[in-house]
Amino acid sequence: MSIYEKGTALPKMSFAFIGKAPRPILGGVILILIIVMLYAFFTTFPYALTKAISFSFDKNPINPNEQVLLSVITTNTTGSTAENVAVRVTPVDSKSFSVDKPIQSIEVLDRSRKLTYLINPIGPVKPGEYEFIISTTINGNPFSEKAVLTVAEK
């Protein structure tokens, strides 16, 4: 006789009671299990759905000769404190716009910091959409976002 024919020393378990439970109770148990699993996930990984870079313009669209403030919120999603984090904002079309202080440094980034950048038009800017690249590296992980500024017609 082989070991497979002997069976196991464990008592036989029957899960027949699951099929006998009323549907509303079974649905409630499944819903509670899903909620507990989601809570455990977000407790373990608090920045799972948080973006490292978020931004907003104080005004969008703008007029052709108008300055605009770009607010950038940098969030540390790596789980450990970061030091000397440089946040860079560069216009894709550098002949149309310039950024005052395009690189700003954050000495210690534990959670998040808000930085502001002044964006200036260079001469008369034509109506349209202009992209700005926001980039940073937090604890060796590179992050970047594209911000789109709209210039309206007069």
Side-chain angles (χ1 to χ4, degrees):
M1 183 183 271
S2 72
I3 62 169
Y4 299 108
E5 293 174 356
K6 290 181 183 178
T8 63
L10 297 174
K12 292 186 178 183
M13 296 182 69
S14 173
F15 292 99
F17 67 90
I18 293 176
K20 295 178 184 176
R23 283 205 185 276
I25 292 175
L26 189 60
V29 169
I30 291 172
L31 182 64
I32 289 171
L33 287 174
I34 290 171
I35 291 170
V36 167
M37 289 174 56
L38 286 172
Y39 176 77
F41 177 77
F42 287 115
T43 301
T44 307
F45 305 105
Y47 295 111
L49 299 177
T50 304
K51 295 175 80 173
I53 299 172
S54 58
F55 61 87
S56 65
F57 292 100
D58 69 336
K59 185 177 178 188
N60 196 7
I62 63 169
N63 293 320
N65 292 324
E66 197 172 12
Q67 295 178 329
V68 66
L69 271 179
L70 172 63
S71 297
V72 176
I73 298 175
T74 305
T75 304
N76 185 353
T77 59
T78 64
S80 60
T81 302
E83 295 180 359
N84 299 322
V85 176
V87 181
R88 174 188 302 251
V89 174
T90 55
V92 173
D93 183 1
S94 59
K95 293 179 182 175
S96 296
F97 286 96
S98 68
V99 179
D100 189 35
K101 297 181 185 175
I103 300 173
Q104 294 185 31
S105 183
I106 303 169
E107 288 185 31
V108 176
L109 181 61
D110 48 356
R111 293 272 180 145
S112 64
R113 297 288 186 277
K114 182 177 181 179
L115 304 170
T116 55
Y117 296 84
L118 181 62
I119 297 175
N120 298 304
I122 300 174
V125 179
K126 295 183 180 180
E129 293 183 335
Y130 296 87
E131 280 189 356
F132 295 85
I133 307 296
I134 307 165
S135 60
T136 188
T137 301
I138 303 171
N139 287 334
N141 300 322
F143 299 97
S144 71
E145 287 287 329
K146 290 182 181 179
V148 177
L149 177 65
T150 303
V151 176
E153 294 185 39
K154 279 189 175 181

